[in-house]
mmCIF file of all heavy atoms in Angstrom:
data_model
loop_
_atom_site.group_PDB
_atom_site.id
_atom_site.type_symbol
_atom_site.label_atom_id
_atom_site.label_comp_id
_atom_site.label_asym_id
_atom_site.label_seq_id
_atom_site.Cartn_x
_atom_site.Cartn_y
_atom_site.Cartn_z
ATOM 1 N N SER A 64 57.032 -69.679 86.576
ATOM 2 C CA SER A 64 56.192 -70.662 85.992
ATOM 3 C C SER A 64 56.857 -72.027 86.225
ATOM 4 O O SER A 64 58.024 -72.109 86.411
ATOM 5 C CB SER A 64 56.018 -70.414 84.469
ATOM 6 O OG SER A 64 57.273 -70.542 83.838
ATOM 7 N N PRO A 65 56.040 -73.048 86.363
ATOM 8 C CA PRO A 65 56.645 -74.357 86.652
ATOM 9 C C PRO A 65 57.573 -74.822 85.577
ATOM 10 O O PRO A 65 57.248 -74.865 84.409
ATOM 11 C CB PRO A 65 55.453 -75.316 86.828
ATOM 12 C CG PRO A 65 54.324 -74.628 86.134
ATOM 13 C CD PRO A 65 54.624 -73.125 86.157
ATOM 14 N N ALA A 66 58.729 -75.296 85.948
ATOM 15 C CA ALA A 66 59.769 -75.761 85.009
ATOM 16 C C ALA A 66 59.985 -77.192 85.266
ATOM 17 O O ALA A 66 60.290 -77.600 86.398
ATOM 18 C CB ALA A 66 60.973 -74.944 85.124
ATOM 19 N N ASN A 67 59.986 -78.045 84.250
ATOM 20 C CA ASN A 67 60.265 -79.430 84.388
ATOM 21 C C ASN A 67 61.721 -79.828 84.191
ATOM 22 O O ASN A 67 62.227 -80.600 84.973
ATOM 23 C CB ASN A 67 59.349 -80.216 83.453
ATOM 24 C CG ASN A 67 57.892 -80.033 83.742
ATOM 25 O OD1 ASN A 67 57.526 -79.797 84.854
ATOM 26 N ND2 ASN A 67 57.081 -80.040 82.735
ATOM 27 N N ALA A 68 62.304 -79.293 83.174
ATOM 28 C CA ALA A 68 63.621 -79.790 82.817
ATOM 29 C C ALA A 68 64.740 -78.817 83.027
ATOM 30 O O ALA A 68 65.854 -79.010 82.660
ATOM 31 C CB ALA A 68 63.647 -80.217 81.357
ATOM 32 N N GLY A 69 64.453 -77.656 83.657
ATOM 33 C CA GLY A 69 65.533 -76.726 83.876
ATOM 34 C C GLY A 69 65.092 -75.341 83.722
ATOM 35 O O GLY A 69 63.918 -75.001 83.620
ATOM 36 N N PHE A 70 66.050 -74.468 83.631
ATOM 37 C CA PHE A 70 65.815 -72.979 83.596
ATOM 38 C C PHE A 70 65.003 -72.570 82.396
ATOM 39 O O PHE A 70 64.007 -71.820 82.551
ATOM 40 C CB PHE A 70 67.221 -72.344 83.610
ATOM 41 C CG PHE A 70 67.115 -70.840 83.724
ATOM 42 C CD1 PHE A 70 66.733 -70.259 84.954
ATOM 43 C CD2 PHE A 70 67.445 -70.037 82.672
ATOM 44 C CE1 PHE A 70 66.702 -68.868 85.089
ATOM 45 C CE2 PHE A 70 67.392 -68.668 82.827
ATOM 46 C CZ PHE A 70 66.981 -68.124 84.043
ATOM 47 N N LEU A 71 65.296 -73.048 81.264
ATOM 48 C CA LEU A 71 64.547 -72.657 80.038
ATOM 49 C C LEU A 71 63.803 -73.910 79.396
ATOM 50 O O LEU A 71 63.894 -74.133 78.251
ATOM 51 C CB LEU A 71 65.482 -72.018 79.020
ATOM 52 C CG LEU A 71 66.159 -70.734 79.442
ATOM 53 C CD1 LEU A 71 67.153 -70.342 78.363
ATOM 54 C CD2 LEU A 71 65.142 -69.633 79.579
ATOM 55 N N SER A 72 63.094 -74.623 80.242
ATOM 56 C CA SER A 72 62.524 -75.879 79.783
ATOM 57 C C SER A 72 61.390 -75.648 78.748
ATOM 58 O O SER A 72 61.156 -76.491 77.978
ATOM 59 C CB SER A 72 61.914 -76.651 80.987
ATOM 60 O OG SER A 72 60.912 -75.922 81.629
ATOM 61 N N GLY A 73 60.742 -74.541 78.841
ATOM 62 C CA GLY A 73 59.664 -74.270 77.861
ATOM 63 C C GLY A 73 60.142 -73.740 76.534
ATOM 64 O O GLY A 73 59.413 -73.670 75.562
ATOM 65 N N PHE A 74 61.435 -73.355 76.430
ATOM 66 C CA PHE A 74 61.993 -72.868 75.246
ATOM 67 C C PHE A 74 62.474 -74.023 74.344
ATOM 68 O O PHE A 74 63.257 -74.823 74.760
ATOM 69 C CB PHE A 74 63.175 -71.957 75.511
ATOM 70 C CG PHE A 74 63.771 -71.229 74.356
ATOM 71 C CD1 PHE A 74 63.063 -70.353 73.650
ATOM 72 C CD2 PHE A 74 65.066 -71.582 74.001
ATOM 73 C CE1 PHE A 74 63.628 -69.736 72.531
ATOM 74 C CE2 PHE A 74 65.666 -70.912 72.929
ATOM 75 C CZ PHE A 74 64.943 -70.050 72.217
ATOM 76 N N SER A 75 61.918 -74.100 73.079
ATOM 77 C CA SER A 75 62.205 -75.161 72.239
ATOM 78 C C SER A 75 63.644 -75.056 71.619
ATOM 79 O O SER A 75 64.250 -76.063 71.231
ATOM 80 C CB SER A 75 61.246 -75.305 71.089
ATOM 81 O OG SER A 75 61.216 -74.138 70.404
ATOM 82 N N GLY A 76 64.192 -73.915 71.535
ATOM 83 C CA GLY A 76 65.561 -73.771 71.026
ATOM 84 C C GLY A 76 65.560 -73.463 69.526
ATOM 85 O O GLY A 76 64.597 -73.643 68.839
ATOM 86 N N LEU A 77 66.710 -73.065 69.079
ATOM 87 C CA LEU A 77 66.889 -72.723 67.646
ATOM 88 C C LEU A 77 66.908 -73.942 66.775
ATOM 89 O O LEU A 77 66.629 -73.855 65.612
ATOM 90 C CB LEU A 77 68.191 -71.931 67.453
ATOM 91 C CG LEU A 77 68.255 -70.530 68.070
ATOM 92 C CD1 LEU A 77 69.587 -69.890 67.889
ATOM 93 C CD2 LEU A 77 67.163 -69.627 67.510
ATOM 94 N N GLU A 78 67.259 -75.124 67.367
ATOM 95 C CA GLU A 78 67.345 -76.329 66.538
ATOM 96 C C GLU A 78 65.990 -76.712 66.001
ATOM 97 O O GLU A 78 65.868 -77.424 64.949
ATOM 98 C CB GLU A 78 67.960 -77.523 67.320
ATOM 99 C CG GLU A 78 69.268 -77.222 67.980
ATOM 100 C CD GLU A 78 69.143 -76.550 69.356
ATOM 101 O OE1 GLU A 78 68.118 -76.834 70.070
ATOM 102 O OE2 GLU A 78 70.013 -75.715 69.643
ATOM 103 N N SER A 79 64.901 -76.340 66.707
ATOM 104 C CA SER A 79 63.533 -76.767 66.254
ATOM 105 C C SER A 79 63.072 -75.936 65.072
ATOM 106 O O SER A 79 62.074 -76.327 64.430
ATOM 107 C CB SER A 79 62.628 -76.739 67.439
ATOM 108 O OG SER A 79 62.446 -75.394 67.867
ATOM 109 N N ILE A 80 63.654 -74.825 64.830
ATOM 110 C CA ILE A 80 63.242 -73.964 63.757
ATOM 111 C C ILE A 80 63.922 -74.410 62.460
ATOM 112 O O ILE A 80 65.111 -74.429 62.377
ATOM 113 C CB ILE A 80 63.563 -72.534 63.993
ATOM 114 C CG1 ILE A 80 62.952 -72.025 65.290
ATOM 115 C CG2 ILE A 80 63.217 -71.603 62.868
ATOM 116 C CD1 ILE A 80 63.420 -70.686 65.784
ATOM 117 N N PRO A 81 63.126 -74.860 61.457
ATOM 118 C CA PRO A 81 63.734 -75.317 60.248
ATOM 119 C C PRO A 81 64.392 -74.162 59.506
ATOM 120 O O PRO A 81 63.909 -73.047 59.420
ATOM 121 C CB PRO A 81 62.576 -75.887 59.415
ATOM 122 C CG PRO A 81 61.388 -75.218 59.939
ATOM 123 C CD PRO A 81 61.678 -74.906 61.401
ATOM 124 N N GLY A 82 65.574 -74.459 58.916
ATOM 125 C CA GLY A 82 66.319 -73.460 58.168
ATOM 126 C C GLY A 82 65.797 -73.343 56.802
ATOM 127 O O GLY A 82 64.962 -74.102 56.354
ATOM 128 N N PRO A 83 66.291 -72.379 56.019
ATOM 129 C CA PRO A 83 65.772 -72.214 54.687
ATOM 130 C C PRO A 83 66.344 -73.331 53.804
ATOM 131 O O PRO A 83 67.377 -73.967 54.127
ATOM 132 C CB PRO A 83 66.444 -70.899 54.267
ATOM 133 C CG PRO A 83 67.644 -70.743 55.079
ATOM 134 C CD PRO A 83 67.309 -71.401 56.399
ATOM 135 N N GLN A 84 65.613 -73.721 52.807
ATOM 136 C CA GLN A 84 65.953 -74.779 51.899
ATOM 137 C C GLN A 84 67.131 -74.235 51.003
ATOM 138 O O GLN A 84 66.981 -73.216 50.343
ATOM 139 C CB GLN A 84 64.777 -75.202 50.995
ATOM 140 C CG GLN A 84 65.089 -76.352 50.066
ATOM 141 C CD GLN A 84 65.414 -77.603 50.829
ATOM 142 O OE1 GLN A 84 64.936 -77.813 51.930
ATOM 143 N NE2 GLN A 84 66.226 -78.434 50.298
ATOM 144 N N LEU A 85 68.234 -74.928 51.041
ATOM 145 C CA LEU A 85 69.382 -74.531 50.254
ATOM 146 C C LEU A 85 69.279 -75.090 48.844
ATOM 147 O O LEU A 85 68.747 -76.170 48.693
ATOM 148 C CB LEU A 85 70.705 -74.996 50.919
ATOM 149 C CG LEU A 85 70.937 -74.444 52.342
ATOM 150 C CD1 LEU A 85 72.205 -75.114 52.931
ATOM 151 C CD2 LEU A 85 71.079 -72.994 52.282
ATOM 152 N N PRO A 86 69.818 -74.372 47.871
ATOM 153 C CA PRO A 86 69.731 -74.882 46.532
ATOM 154 C C PRO A 86 70.626 -76.126 46.347
ATOM 155 O O PRO A 86 71.701 -76.211 46.964
ATOM 156 C CB PRO A 86 70.269 -73.669 45.690
ATOM 157 C CG PRO A 86 71.040 -72.812 46.637
ATOM 158 C CD PRO A 86 70.471 -73.070 47.980
ATOM 159 N N GLN A 87 70.141 -77.063 45.578
ATOM 160 C CA GLN A 87 70.896 -78.308 45.276
ATOM 161 C C GLN A 87 71.488 -78.164 43.885
ATOM 162 O O GLN A 87 70.855 -77.819 42.957
ATOM 163 C CB GLN A 87 69.926 -79.502 45.312
ATOM 164 C CG GLN A 87 69.224 -79.688 46.599
ATOM 165 C CD GLN A 87 70.222 -80.113 47.751
ATOM 166 O OE1 GLN A 87 71.156 -80.867 47.496
ATOM 167 N NE2 GLN A 87 69.978 -79.653 48.929
ATOM 168 N N PHE A 88 72.792 -78.529 43.810
ATOM 169 C CA PHE A 88 73.486 -78.450 42.539
ATOM 170 C C PHE A 88 73.782 -79.849 42.148
ATOM 171 O O PHE A 88 74.404 -80.601 42.936
ATOM 172 C CB PHE A 88 74.805 -77.619 42.675
ATOM 173 C CG PHE A 88 74.566 -76.185 43.048
ATOM 174 C CD1 PHE A 88 74.806 -75.727 44.301
ATOM 175 C CD2 PHE A 88 74.007 -75.289 42.145
ATOM 176 C CE1 PHE A 88 74.618 -74.451 44.726
ATOM 177 C CE2 PHE A 88 73.803 -73.956 42.500
ATOM 178 C CZ PHE A 88 74.108 -73.530 43.778
ATOM 179 N N ASP A 89 73.464 -80.151 40.907
ATOM 180 C CA ASP A 89 73.648 -81.516 40.395
ATOM 181 C C ASP A 89 75.078 -81.942 40.395
ATOM 182 O O ASP A 89 75.458 -83.026 40.765
ATOM 183 C CB ASP A 89 73.078 -81.664 39.011
ATOM 184 C CG ASP A 89 71.528 -81.613 39.028
ATOM 185 O OD1 ASP A 89 70.969 -81.918 40.095
ATOM 186 O OD2 ASP A 89 70.975 -81.265 37.981
ATOM 187 N N PHE A 90 75.988 -81.067 39.958
ATOM 188 C CA PHE A 90 77.406 -81.447 39.841
ATOM 189 C C PHE A 90 77.995 -81.726 41.232
ATOM 190 O O PHE A 90 78.838 -82.615 41.387
ATOM 191 C CB PHE A 90 78.224 -80.377 39.098
ATOM 192 C CG PHE A 90 78.540 -79.120 39.855
ATOM 193 C CD1 PHE A 90 79.717 -79.003 40.595
ATOM 194 C CD2 PHE A 90 77.577 -78.105 39.914
ATOM 195 C CE1 PHE A 90 79.929 -77.850 41.292
ATOM 196 C CE2 PHE A 90 77.845 -76.910 40.554
ATOM 197 C CZ PHE A 90 79.045 -76.802 41.240
ATOM 198 N N LEU A 91 77.535 -80.988 42.298
ATOM 199 C CA LEU A 91 78.025 -81.278 43.625
ATOM 200 C C LEU A 91 77.482 -82.603 44.176
ATOM 201 O O LEU A 91 78.219 -83.346 44.850
ATOM 202 C CB LEU A 91 77.642 -80.119 44.576
ATOM 203 C CG LEU A 91 78.402 -78.820 44.419
ATOM 204 C CD1 LEU A 91 77.814 -77.780 45.370
ATOM 205 C CD2 LEU A 91 79.852 -79.016 44.691
#
Side-chain angles (χ1 to χ4, degrees):
S64 63
N67 297 329
F70 187 69
L71 295 174
S72 63
F74 184 65
S75 59
L77 294 176
E78 304 86 35
S79 63
I80 301 170
Q84 184 63 32
L85 298 176
Q87 299 293 324
F88 298 108
D89 290 336
F90 74 94
L91 287 176

